[in-house]
Amino acid sequence: QSALTQPRSVSGSPGQSVAISCTGTSSDVGGNNLVSWYQQHPGKAPKLIIYDVTKRPSGVPDRFSGSKSGNTASLTISGLLAGDEADYYCCSYAGSNTFYVFGTGTTVTVL
Amino acid sequence: EMQLVESGGGLVQPGGSLRLSCAASEFTFSSYWMHWVRQAPGKGLVWVSRMNSDGSTTNYADSVKGRFTISRDNARNTLYLQMNSLRAEDTAVYYCASPGVRDGYNFDIWGQGTMVTVSS
């Protein structure tokens, strides 16, 4: 099972919005609504920021939003802040053979 | 605050074995699925294994099937990963993770990770 495909990097100025895509197949992203997104700062453990495609855990700002169309999920970060600079990973449940597949990861840079 | 703390990482020769532990606190450990996720240096996250709350169901990534064994002791609030026949490509930070109270197909609670290096 290959990793989900994400852009290697995206960048934006403070206050702007950026979107990160996460492309899989009908066996994972397109086959359910079980996509989650994780933020990881250097040397730290990942942090859940979106689950079940669009839901936000308590404490996660509403500047972070998720969506999905077909085999591609997306994470949008609005009103970019310096602290949003991090790596972001999508993850999808992929059924009872592969179970979970993560994305390749995207580095967000705040200019 | 719910917390997971991994231990047991270190340097091991190819073909060797290592057992990782993950201790849970402030967390109803016995109620939830538990997972291991790894991250090779400079690389992305990779799911490794999971076990259900009572230990009756286990699943593995193809890359570790037959070499790694996940287990848990609910009385000790501890998750384990027994790693045998280790290879250089198993070198990674190993995280334990759980959906916690969300109890879904995500990883809400993470440990800080423990580094495993396989090298001669």
Side-chain angles (χ1 to χ4, degrees):
Chain A
Q1 175 74 33
S2 299
L4 306 176
T5 301
Q6 297 180 231
R8 193 172 187 88
S9 64
V10 299
S11 62
S13 300
Q16 287 188 331
S17 295
V18 294
I20 303 169
S21 60
C22 169
T23 302
T25 69
S26 58
S27 296
D28 39 64
V29 175
N32 58 60
N33 288 318
L34 300 173
V35 176
S36 51
W37 288 89
Y38 302 85
Q39 177 191 63
Q40 186 179 34
H41 287 106
K44 300 294 187 181
K47 174 188 174 184
L48 177 68
I49 55 173
I50 294 289
Y51 66 100
D52 295 352
V53 179
T54 62
K55 299 175 183 176
R56 259 187 332 272
S58 60
V60 174
D62 59 6
R63 301 185 298 103
F64 293 90
S65 62
S67 63
K68 193 188 84 166
S69 177
N71 295 339
T72 298
S74 297
L75 172 72
T76 300
I77 310 173
S78 305
L80 264 179
L81 300 174
D84 297 333
E85 235 182 45
D87 292 329
Y88 291 81
Y89 294 92
C90 60
C91 181
S92 176
Y93 183 68
S96 57
N97 285 317
T98 305
F99 302 101
Y100 295 85
V101 59
F102 280 92
T104 49
T106 299
T107 299
V108 170
T109 301
V110 181
L111 302 171
Chain B
E1 181 183 342
M2 292 178 284
Q3 192 173 13
L4 298 172
V5 178
E6 301 94 337
S7 60
L11 174 64
V12 61
Q13 292 189 337
S17 298
L18 213 54
R19 188 176 85 153
L20 307 182
S21 300
C22 169
S25 59
E26 305 301 327
F27 179 39
T28 315
F29 178 81
S30 60
S31 297
Y32 307 115
W33 285 81
M34 293 296 297
H35 301 252
W36 288 99
V37 176
R38 69 184 181 183
Q39 186 171 34
K43 303 296 184 182
L45 301 168
V46 176
W47 178 81
V48 173
S49 181
R50 70 173 181 176
M51 174 172 269
N52 71 338
S53 58
D54 67 6
S56 61
T57 299
T58 59
N59 301 114
Y60 299 91
D62 285 346
S63 58
V64 307
K65 202 176 294 183
R67 300 188 300 122
F68 289 12
T69 302
I70 190 173
S71 62
R72 66 193 296 162
D73 184 338
N74 285 343
R76 289 185 163 83
N77 289 344
T78 302
L79 178 75
Y80 303 99
L81 186 68
Q82 177 66 44
M83 303 186 296
N84 299 331
S85 303
L86 282 162
R87 306 166 180 166
E89 53 265 35
D90 296 318
T91 294
V93 174
Y94 284 74
Y95 296 99
C96 62
S98 174
V101 297
R102 219 172 298 288
D103 205 22
Y105 295 82
N106 58 77
F107 312 103
D108 193 11
I109 307 166
W110 295 74
Q112 85 289 351
T114 187
M115 183 70 205
V116 171
T117 302
V118 184
S119 174
S120 54

